[in-house]
Amino acid sequence: MRMLVVDAVNNAKAGHPGMPLGMAEVGFTLYRKVMKYNPGNPGWFNRDRFVLSAGHGCLLQYICLHLAGFESVQMEDLKRLCKFGARTPGHPENSETAGIEVTTGPLGQGVANAVGLALAERHLAARFNKPGHDIVNHRTFCIMGDGCAMEGISNESASLAGHWKLDKLTVIYDDNHNTIDGDTELAFSEDVAGRYRALGWQTILVEDIHEHPGKFVKALDEAFAETEKPTLIQVKSSIGFPSKKQGTSKAHHGTFDEEDVEGIKAALSWEGREPFYVVPTVYEEFKKKAKEAECIEEEWNIELAKYEQEFPNEANEFKQLLGNIISEGWEKVLPTWSQSDPVDATRSYSEKCLNALSTVIPGLIGGSADLASSNKAYLKDYDDFQHKTPWGRNVRYGIREHAMAAISNGLSLHSSGLIPFAATFLAFSDYMKHAMRLSALSRAGVIYICTHDSIGLGEDGPTHQPVEQLVGLRAIPNLVVLRPADGNETSGAYKVAVRRRDSGPTVIALSRQKVQAHVAGTSADKVEKGGYIVSDNSSSGSDPELIIIGTGSELCLCEGAAEKLRNDGLKVRVVSLVSWELFDEQPLEYKDEILPRSVKKRLSVEAGSPVGWREYVGFHGRVLAVNSFGKSGAYLDVFKKFGFTVDNVESEARKLLTDQV
Amino acid sequence: MRMLVVDAVNNAKAGHPGMPLGMAEVGFTLYRKVMKYNPGNPGWFNRDRFVLSAGHGCLLQYICLHLAGFESVQMEDLKRLCKFGARTPGHPENSETAGIEVTTGPLGQGVANAVGLALAERHLAARFNKPGHDIVNHRTFCIMGDGCAMEGISNESASLAGHWKLDKLTVIYDDNHNTIDGDTELAFSEDVAGRYRALGWQTILVEDIHEHPGKFVKALDEAFAETEKPTLIQVKSSIGFPSKKQGTSKAHHGTFDEEDVEGIKAALSWEGREPFYVVPTVYEEFKKKAKEAECIEEEWNIELAKYEQEFPNEANEFKQLLGNIISEGWEKVLPTWSQSDPVDATRSYSEKCLNALSTVIPGLIGGSADLASSNKAYLKDYDDFQHKTPWGRNVRYGIREHAMAAISNGLSLHSSGLIPFAATFLAFSDYMKHAMRLSALSRAGVIYICTHDSIGLGEDGPTHQPVEQLVGLRAIPNLVVLRPADGNETSGAYKVAVRRRDSGPTVIALSRQKVQAHVAGTSADKVEKGGYIVSDNSSSGSDPELIIIGTGSELCLCEGAAEKLRNDGLKVRVVSLVSWELFDEQPLEYKDEILPRSVKKRLSVEAGSPVGWREYVGFHGRVLAVNSFGKSGAYLDVFKKFGFTVDNVESEARKLLTDQV
């Protein structure tokens, strides 16, 4: 394995060999001796999950996958490390390489993902296992480096894992005392194991992994014996072992000179062998394991068949989950609202949608970062997920947004039909932004419920009032942001989010404050188009004089202003642009129909940053937006001062009429 | 104090009384008995710093400031809590209320800010104090709640504080066992004090604060006696004490009914008193303290005068720092580059600028999140800031981006002329985004050095390649993003950043890869305009046929393409749009001069998200951008596949000519 690391890095002239060299014994032990997986069927449900949180060490995993017989990593792939289009990119990506569970590289994320995977297992086991039928039963392993250990997200996640007593989670801490900038003594002198004990973990020290790899096996046995706590195995490894750079930060990344290669070969008794040579017995050994794996999967299938006979209903639900199938007609449970219903905040409409969906989507599970009551993101008919109630579908994340999002990625990428939702204030989406980005990159179908979505939240002031968050999220590739205007659009937003569960994440931005009306022309079904006409008094076939484009809680202001303008005989169209991304995806003809090029007088109204709106209002349009931070104050005062009133929308629209085009 | 909390919240019909009620003894002890400050001169340099990390408890601080005699919080202000335009907004904002050091509310941030303030003190003390002359000598206090304790950022910061042995930092943990969603047992069962001990802190438990407030005073004495470690004082308080909601999450926010008000009054022996009543002796007591404070400041001034006589050079530098004055002509040290100089990555130009500035700006201090060598953000002539070398100006943050940014906010808001820089990869600006937002909101002049600023970073792949980060940052109010194209623009970017040190933060986005040329028409001086003409072959007074707008490492591609188009006789202008925000601030005439409305054929070229570019290219322009995540591969391969070549820029520009307008 170590020579493959050296050869691959030298061949690629890129990559991070230090960690794979230092952790070769760990990788080998896990893949050869300990973990349960089937290389012939990487997606087999009951496999153990492995996460390389120190993602720069991807070569370790690629080599393990290759030796283990995964089709996804052939010798050719190892030779194409870091090349454009290779299945062996510079950091592990689940959508590029079968056998990679989650996308890692940004440090600390993998630890949280692993907690999510372990949470999924615990939850499903509690829901589906029956005495004598452990159909859900696997472990989760994670390798984290010093970088992961320093990042706050790993502490957040580890605190939760300890709280939940996720005993089947084993994190192996590559304690190699080096980071890119040098020895960890530069910035990292804490007692990591002591910290994990304070977080409720068992910790085990393995001091001489290179001399006595058996001690690591023994440590794993201890981990497996512990039934109340997750385990941290602190492995004192030598980064870059046995290169001449070993034990120093120079080994972290970069190639090896000829002298070093010779030295490594000598240390490994590998003299005279060609690059990329693998001893045939190694392949054979792993082939044996693969054969065994087939049997294990087959046994599991038999077990499942028995289970099915004994518990047909549970088995049916379980198989639906695994197949990511939702019973037909699920959308019908989503509530509809009529003009005469009392108005509410869109977060309250969301609460109704979420709770309605929970009854028809057994995979819906999630929670909030200690704002369940404010986000209204709580499944009322279900328990909390806790150590003693692991079947619960409400996850209490505490005030840990970043961990929440990355754990949700783990829940989604467990690929067992769970649809995680994660809720906080939109302003605090910043705290979890990178994990949201990774949802998008790794196609994790997380539903992000972001309430208190504008300066309209009022008294809490600018620290809590989002301004630039909407556009920041809209710019993330493969993330769809929806900002529904009322109840029906909120139902439509959930429809989109659930349908996207295999493709990527969705953000639903919701108001704290009551919206001022149900808008007559909104439609749950049209939400999927991203933008559509809410009202228009121009004659059919002819263009309106102006278009007012709104989203969310401001759409009813647009309607109000349009009514006033129409009373003056003007031809005005109101468009709900509930999702930029979905609208952008529509065919040109559709977009031209909604926003005809010929209509240059366009006004956008959204209580957020102006950035990006020019795309829709054009060169000659106007953008009513928030150009600064918000202000503490009563909602209506704040909205008024920033220009979000019917009167001011009307006034801005009238200015359009006199603007030169 | 407690009745003021009740009255203010009931009067405002908003706010968070639970924490101020539970921590009244702590606030009173700190402001009345322990802390050194001068209400008559809130900005006095040598004051103790206080940070309310649990910012929702702002009433506690407002009431303390009021009683202490700060002009900024009059009784009227307490009555205007959370009203639009009040000096008492819903969370503490340093720019709204004198006496508030930093803006808090987003949880965990304040702990990091406090670490930054304590770091500033330690650093300045090491640089300026002389035997017998402790002119820099103050403590830093911070109150954190359960939310702060859960957030990863506080763990990152506490780990650093322990590493640096910041013994003059005291964090008071309001261990009230409640968060918004309920009892902390829902999600927080770790041993917080044990964790802090593992991070290298002294921890002290105060169990019965309401019965024996003196125990808190004793704990502070222990904290002050400790000279090797920061101290965590774990105060078991009862949230909402002595309301009937006390000890429950219901006390966290919301008003009190009449019965409860009467009960609280009875418990506090306050029956029959008017709302907002303050016992006159309380004001008198605090007035005495204010008098003493004046004397203490006066003594410090005398001490400073003595210091000045004995150490005139040091005193001069010290006073310049405190006045935030930089010696005239400092800009002249910034390097200039000519066409014949070897080309390099803009991160390397940045390294030269930063090191040049370090010689003339004594307040320049900062570091990287373990990427000093990659970010090239290291002051070569200066030591590391460490426990044994606290005069060092290179801060080793470890892999803790979020803490780095928020500590930098503390360094800046120490208001002692320190100009912090903070460096990481642009993709990982996500990890610190909320702290960057708070830099902008609180006007902290942090210089963010964000290297590896596009898919051009190559092999590390999409997890490390920023796409949407630029626009996300550009949308933050009061944050200026610059993406220089070559050495001279990099010098210009630093000029802007240093000049903004009192107004807010700056991001300088820099390439990993070598840029392909020094662009002939770039200018360090014009950078401050945000956008300017780099080259144009149209006759003076007449419009070019098309405009190509580029930034950063893509500007030279624009130049290359323009040359080819000009060889065909076309009139082409190239514009460097190095900063959207600065360009947007220019007068309309200037903007029209650079991007004349009449020229509709415009192409933007930037290896980032397309979002927002329409503002500059208009309805009929073209946007050459990155519409998906990046890809692992050699830089030139990646750039080519995504269309960032001279040939493709030329081809896109030619399409403009045939596009219908």
Side-chain angles (χ1 to χ4, degrees):
Chain A
M1 282 176 67
R2 289 200 159 96
M3 280 315 298
L4 284 178
V5 173
V6 172
D7 295 339
V9 166
N10 271 6
N11 181 64
K13 298 187 181 60
H16 297 80
M19 185 279 210
L21 287 176
M23 292 294 273
E25 288 89 355
V26 167
F28 181 81
T29 304
L30 290 176
Y31 272 85
R32 174 67 193 88
K33 300 192 176 160
V34 175
M35 288 203 312
K36 178 178 73 179
Y37 59 86
N38 182 0
N41 180 15
W44 173 46
F45 165 77
N46 208 35
R47 69 192 181 276
D48 289 337
R49 304 306 199 267
F50 173 78
V51 176
L52 188 73
S53 189
H56 53 276
C58 56
L59 248 184
L60 179 70
Q61 198 172 2
Y62 295 148
I63 290 168
C64 287
L65 292 175
H66 170 68
L67 296 177
F70 283 77
E71 187 281 331
S72 52
V73 188
Q74 302 294 315
M75 188 56 88
E76 267 320 293
D77 297 299
L78 293 179
K79 292 180 183 170
R80 296 198 66 230
L81 179 72
C82 292
K83 297 271 183 293
F84 194 95
R87 296 194 290 186
T88 46
H91 289 83
E93 296 175 48
N94 62 309
S95 50
E96 296 289 336
T97 320
I100 303 286
E101 305 286 353
V102 298
T103 295
T104 55
L107 295 177
Q109 301 281 342
V111 178
N113 299 155
V115 172
L117 293 166
L119 161 50
E121 196 268 351
R122 167 69 61 86
H123 172 73
L124 294 170
R127 277 173 68 176
F128 293 102
N129 286 356
K130 302 283 177 189
H133 296 274
D134 281 357
I135 53 165
V136 182
N137 180 17
H138 71 76
R139 299 192 166 273
T140 302
F141 298 90
C142 173
I143 294 182
M144 79 166 183
D146 286 300
C148 299
M150 283 189 247
E151 290 284 4
I153 185 176
S154 66
N155 191 72
E156 293 179 5
S157 316
S159 177
L160 284 168
H163 174 73
W164 291 326
K165 303 187 195 295
L166 297 176
D167 59 296
K168 286 162 92 175
L169 170 64
T170 305
V171 172
I172 300 135
Y173 166 34
D174 177 17
D175 184 11
N176 65 33
H177 231 269
N178 274 278
T179 65
I180 292 181
D181 276 355
D183 193 285
T184 49
E185 73 183 17
L186 282 176
F188 194 42
S189 48
E190 64 174 67
D191 169 14
V192 177
R195 172 158 61 90
Y196 272 76
R197 282 191 296 274
L199 298 175
W201 289 53
Q202 168 181 226
T203 67
I204 304 168
L205 178 65
V206 175
E207 276 192 291
D208 38 7
I209 182 86
H210 306 310
E211 294 76 20
H212 302 287
K215 289 192 183 171
F216 175 62
V217 179
K218 204 171 144 281
L220 287 170
D221 288 341
E222 280 180 64
F224 300 165
E226 168 62 57
T227 57
E228 281 284 308
K229 294 174 175 180
T231 297
L232 181 84
I233 303 180
Q234 181 180 13
V235 173
K236 297 261 181 198
S237 78
S238 177
I239 188 171
F241 176 87
S243 142
K244 64 182 180 184
K245 301 186 278 188
Q246 83 171 72
T248 75
S249 61
K250 283 181 196 142
H252 180 269
H253 58 272
T255 54
F256 301 89
D257 63 29
E258 211 171 308
E259 180 202 326
D260 203 5
V261 173
E262 289 312 312
I264 296 168
K265 282 188 168 179
L268 301 174
S269 310
W270 206 259
E271 294 96 335
R273 281 175 169 153
E274 287 298 293
F276 293 101
Y277 176 74
V278 174
V279 181
T281 51
V282 172
Y283 282 132
E284 283 158 25
E285 288 279 305
F286 272 100
K287 261 190 195 136
K288 269 187 233 159
K289 176 157 167 89
K291 268 270 167 247
E292 286 161 24
E294 271 177 43
C295 298
I296 292 169
E297 180 172 348
E298 191 43 41
E299 277 165 29
W300 183 79
N301 286 328
I302 293 164
E303 192 52 51
L304 185 61
K306 283 188 204 156
Y307 178 85
E308 205 169 352
Q309 280 194 318
E310 222 171 316
F311 309 100
N313 292 336
E314 287 85 344
N316 185 43
E317 184 168 298
F318 183 64
K319 287 172 104 172
Q320 281 212 330
L321 272 177
L322 266 51
N324 209 355
I325 298 156
I326 308 179
S327 304
E328 225 172 301
W330 60 269
E331 305 96 328
K332 296 201 185 94
V333 304
L334 284 165
T336 54
W337 282 266
S338 71
Q339 292 292 104
S340 57
D341 288 325
V343 290
D344 215 331
T346 53
R347 62 176 168 147
S348 298
Y349 300 134
S350 163
E351 181 176 40
K352 292 202 167 66
C353 294
L354 195 64
N355 275 280
L357 288 175
S358 70
T359 62
V360 290
I361 305 184
L364 197 65
I365 177 173
S368 159
D370 193 52
L371 292 167
S373 49
S374 300
N375 301 140
K376 299 190 179 287
Y378 193 81
L379 308 181
K380 293 173 184 174
D381 297 334
Y382 298 89
D383 288 327
D384 283 359
F385 173 86
Q386 295 287 2
H387 175 57
K388 292 193 173 158
T389 53
W391 51 81
R393 285 163 60 185
N394 288 293
V395 186
R396 300 289 195 166
Y397 287 106
I399 300 154
R400 306 179 182 95
E401 297 81 6
H402 205 175
M404 171 173 70
I407 289 172
S408 299
N409 287 339
L411 284 172
S412 172
L413 298 175
H414 193 255
S415 303
S416 49
L418 297 179
I419 306 179
F421 62 91
T424 185
F425 289 169
L426 179 58
F428 303 140
S429 66
D430 284 355
Y431 273 69
M432 57 183 183
K433 179 155 184 290
H434 205 80
M436 297 174 84
R437 173 177 222 246
L438 287 168
S439 308
L441 178 56
S442 60
R443 299 179 198 167
V446 182
I447 303 176
Y448 290 102
I449 298 171
C450 296
T451 70
H452 296 58
D453 72 346
S454 79
I455 53 170
L457 74 82
E459 286 85 354
D460 273 348
T463 56
H464 287 51
Q465 292 169 349
V467 172
E468 73 282 11
Q469 279 75 9
L470 279 172
V471 64
L473 295 171
R474 284 166 175 158
I476 298 180
N478 194 35
L479 172 70
V480 167
V481 178
L482 297 126
R483 188 164 184 255
D486 59 10
N488 292 324
E489 281 202 352
T490 306
S491 279
Y494 274 95
K495 227 182 283 187
V496 169
V498 172
R499 286 193 185 136
R500 271 179 64 72
R501 65 191 181 279
D502 282 338
S503 336
T506 306
V507 168
I508 306 181
L510 300 156
S511 73
R512 175 199 185 206
Q513 78 278 16
K514 282 188 186 182
V515 293
Q516 294 171 17
H518 294 286
V519 182
T522 56
S523 152
D525 288 334
K526 288 183 185 163
V527 164
E528 67 183 30
K529 301 270 191 193
Y532 62 96
I533 301 166
V534 168
S535 66
D536 190 337
N537 66 329
S538 56
S539 339
S540 133
S542 71
D543 282 343
E545 286 162 276
L546 56 92
I547 303 176
I548 309 179
I549 310 169
T551 77
S553 51
E554 291 78 76
L555 187 67
C556 55
L557 306 180
C558 302
E559 264 301 292
E563 272 317 298
K564 294 176 77 176
L565 295 161
R566 287 167 189 154
N567 287 342
D568 272 8
L570 288 164
K571 306 293 180 197
V572 183
R573 172 177 294 184
V574 174
V575 167
S576 169
L577 202 58
V578 56
S579 170
W580 289 8
E581 300 88 335
L582 295 178
F583 185 69
D584 293 350
E585 278 172 9
Q586 301 308 311
L588 199 59
E589 304 76 56
Y590 180 78
K591 289 192 271 191
D592 277 348
E593 187 191 318
I594 306 302
L595 300 176
R597 280 154 197 253
S598 44
V599 184
K600 299 217 173 351
K601 293 181 185 298
R602 304 178 184 182
L603 168 67
S604 72
V605 183
E606 184 177 74
S609 167
V611 174
W613 272 106
R614 190 64 58 195
E615 188 75 32
Y616 306 101
V617 301
F619 226 40
H620 305 285
R622 284 180 168 261
V623 176
L624 179 55
V626 179
N627 286 292
S628 64
F629 288 109
K631 273 277 187 195
S632 176
Y635 138 60
L636 282 173
D637 289 346
V638 177
F639 249 40
K640 189 174 172 188
K641 297 280 183 178
F642 282 87
F644 294 94
T645 59
V646 168
D647 286 350
N648 192 53
V649 173
E650 183 199 357
S651 149
E652 285 293 312
R654 285 192 190 279
K655 284 183 202 157
L656 272 178
L657 296 172
T658 53
D659 283 345
Q660 285 195 338
V661 173
Chain B
M1 283 178 66
R2 289 200 160 97
M3 279 315 298
L4 284 177
V5 173
V6 172
D7 295 338
V9 165
N10 271 5
N11 181 65
K13 297 185 183 63
H16 297 81
M19 185 277 210
L21 288 176
M23 292 294 275
E25 290 88 355
V26 167
F28 181 81
T29 304
L30 290 176
Y31 272 86
R32 174 66 191 91
K33 300 192 174 160
V34 174
M35 287 204 311
K36 179 177 71 178
Y37 59 87
N38 183 359
N41 180 14
W44 173 46
F45 165 76
N46 208 35
R47 70 192 181 278
D48 288 337
R49 303 307 199 268
F50 174 77
V51 176
L52 188 73
S53 189
H56 52 278
C58 55
L59 248 183
L60 179 69
Q61 198 172 2
Y62 295 149
I63 290 170
C64 288
L65 292 175
H66 170 68
L67 296 178
F70 283 77
E71 188 282 330
S72 52
V73 187
Q74 303 294 315
M75 189 55 89
E76 269 318 294
D77 298 298
L78 292 179
K79 292 179 182 169
R80 298 198 65 231
L81 179 72
C82 292
K83 297 271 182 292
F84 194 94
R87 296 194 290 185
T88 45
H91 289 83
E93 296 176 47
N94 62 309
S95 50
E96 297 289 335
T97 320
I100 304 286
E101 305 286 352
V102 298
T103 295
T104 54
L107 295 177
Q109 301 281 341
V111 178
N113 299 156
V115 172
L117 292 167
L119 161 49
E121 196 268 354
R122 167 69 62 86
H123 172 72
L124 293 171
R127 276 173 68 176
F128 293 102
N129 287 356
K130 302 283 176 188
H133 296 272
D134 280 356
I135 51 165
V136 182
N137 181 18
H138 71 76
R139 298 192 167 273
T140 303
F141 298 91
C142 173
I143 295 182
M144 77 166 185
D146 286 302
C148 300
M150 282 189 247
E151 289 285 4
I153 184 175
S154 66
N155 191 72
E156 293 179 5
S157 315
S159 178
L160 283 168
H163 174 73
W164 292 325
K165 303 186 196 293
L166 297 177
D167 59 297
K168 286 162 92 176
L169 171 65
T170 305
V171 172
I172 300 136
Y173 166 34
D174 177 17
D175 183 12
N176 65 31
H177 231 268
N178 274 279
T179 65
I180 292 181
D181 276 354
D183 192 284
T184 48
E185 72 185 17
L186 281 176
F188 194 43
S189 48
E190 65 173 67
D191 169 13
V192 176
R195 172 158 61 88
Y196 273 76
R197 283 192 295 275
L199 298 175
W201 288 52
Q202 169 180 226
T203 67
I204 303 169
L205 178 65
V206 175
E207 276 191 291
D208 39 7
I209 182 86
H210 305 311
E211 294 77 19
H212 301 289
K215 289 193 183 170
F216 176 61
V217 180
K218 204 172 143 278
L220 287 170
D221 288 341
E222 279 180 64
F224 300 165
E226 169 62 58
T227 56
E228 281 283 308
K229 292 174 176 180
T231 297
L232 181 84
I233 303 181
Q234 182 181 12
V235 173
K236 297 259 180 198
S237 79
S238 178
I239 188 170
F241 177 86
S243 144
K244 66 181 179 184
K245 300 186 279 189
Q246 84 172 70
T248 74
S249 61
K250 283 180 196 143
H252 181 269
H253 59 274
T255 55
F256 302 89
D257 62 29
E258 214 172 303
E259 180 203 327
D260 204 3
V261 173
E262 289 312 312
I264 296 169
K265 282 188 169 178
L268 301 174
S269 311
W270 206 258
E271 291 97 336
R273 284 176 169 153
E274 289 297 294
F276 294 102
Y277 176 75
V278 174
V279 180
T281 52
V282 172
Y283 282 132
E284 283 158 25
E285 288 279 305
F286 272 101
K287 261 190 195 136
K288 269 187 233 158
K289 177 159 167 86
K291 268 271 169 248
E292 287 162 24
E294 271 177 43
C295 299
I296 292 170
E297 180 171 348
E298 192 43 44
E299 276 165 28
W300 184 78
N301 285 329
I302 293 165
E303 193 49 52
L304 185 61
K306 283 189 203 154
Y307 178 85
E308 204 169 352
Q309 280 195 319
E310 221 171 314
F311 308 100
N313 292 338
E314 287 85 345
N316 185 43
E317 183 167 297
F318 183 64
K319 288 172 101 171
Q320 282 213 330
L321 271 177
L322 264 50
N324 210 355
I325 298 157
I326 307 179
S327 304
E328 226 172 302
W330 60 270
E331 304 96 329
K332 297 201 184 92
V333 304
L334 283 165
T336 53
W337 282 266
S338 70
Q339 293 290 104
S340 57
D341 288 325
V343 291
D344 214 331
T346 55
R347 63 176 167 146
S348 298
Y349 301 134
S350 163
E351 181 177 41
K352 292 201 166 66
C353 294
L354 194 66
N355 276 280
L357 287 176
S358 71
T359 62
V360 291
I361 304 182
L364 196 66
I365 178 173
S368 158
D370 193 52
L371 292 167
S373 48
S374 299
N375 301 141
K376 298 189 180 286
Y378 194 81
L379 308 181
K380 292 174 185 173
D381 296 335
Y382 298 88
D383 288 327
D384 283 359
F385 173 87
Q386 295 287 3
H387 175 57
K388 293 195 173 159
T389 54
W391 53 81
R393 287 163 59 185
N394 289 293
V395 185
R396 301 289 196 166
Y397 287 106
I399 301 153
R400 305 179 182 96
E401 299 80 6
H402 205 176
M404 171 172 71
I407 289 173
S408 299
N409 287 339
L411 285 172
S412 173
L413 298 175
H414 193 255
S415 304
S416 48
L418 296 178
I419 306 178
F421 62 89
T424 185
F425 290 168
L426 179 59
F428 302 141
S429 65
D430 283 355
Y431 274 67
M432 57 183 184
K433 178 156 184 289
H434 205 80
M436 298 175 84
R437 176 177 218 245
L438 287 168
S439 309
L441 178 57
S442 60
R443 299 179 198 167
V446 182
I447 303 175
Y448 290 101
I449 299 171
C450 297
T451 69
H452 297 57
D453 72 347
S454 79
I455 53 170
L457 75 82
E459 285 86 354
D460 273 347
T463 56
H464 286 51
Q465 293 169 350
V467 172
E468 72 283 13
Q469 280 74 10
L470 279 173
V471 65
L473 295 170
R474 284 165 175 159
I476 298 180
N478 194 35
L479 172 70
V480 167
V481 179
L482 297 127
R483 188 165 184 254
D486 59 9
N488 292 323
E489 283 202 350
T490 306
S491 279
Y494 273 96
K495 227 182 282 189
V496 169
V498 172
R499 286 192 186 139
R500 272 179 62 74
R501 66 192 179 279
D502 282 337
S503 336
T506 306
V507 168
I508 306 181
L510 300 156
S511 72
R512 175 200 185 203
Q513 78 279 14
K514 283 190 186 181
V515 291
Q516 292 171 19
H518 294 286
V519 182
T522 56
S523 152
D525 288 332
K526 288 182 186 164
V527 165
E528 68 183 27
K529 302 271 190 194
Y532 62 95
I533 300 166
V534 168
S535 66
D536 191 339
N537 66 328
S538 56
S539 338
S540 133
S542 72
D543 281 345
E545 285 162 279
L546 56 93
I547 302 177
I548 309 179
I549 310 169
T551 77
S553 51
E554 291 77 75
L555 188 67
C556 56
L557 304 181
C558 301
E559 265 301 292
E563 272 316 299
K564 294 177 77 177
L565 295 161
R566 287 167 190 155
N567 288 342
D568 272 9
L570 287 165
K571 305 293 180 197
V572 183
R573 172 176 296 183
V574 174
V575 167
S576 169
L577 201 59
V578 55
S579 168
W580 288 9
E581 300 89 335
L582 296 178
F583 186 68
D584 292 349
E585 279 172 10
Q586 301 308 312
L588 199 59
E589 305 77 57
Y590 179 79
K591 289 191 271 192
D592 277 347
E593 187 192 316
I594 306 302
L595 299 176
R597 280 154 197 253
S598 46
V599 183
K600 298 216 174 351
K601 294 180 183 300
R602 305 177 184 182
L603 168 67
S604 73
V605 183
E606 183 177 74
S609 167
V611 174
W613 272 106
R614 190 63 59 195
E615 190 74 34
Y616 307 101
V617 302
F619 228 39
H620 305 285
R622 284 181 168 260
V623 176
L624 179 53
V626 179
N627 286 291
S628 65
F629 288 108
K631 273 277 186 192
S632 175
Y635 139 61
L636 282 173
D637 288 346
V638 177
F639 249 40
K640 190 174 171 189
K641 297 281 182 174
F642 281 87
F644 294 95
T645 59
V646 168
D647 286 351
N648 192 52
V649 173
E650 183 199 357
S651 148
E652 285 293 313
R654 286 192 189 279
K655 285 183 201 159
L656 272 178
L657 296 173
T658 53
D659 281 347
Q660 284 195 338
V661 173

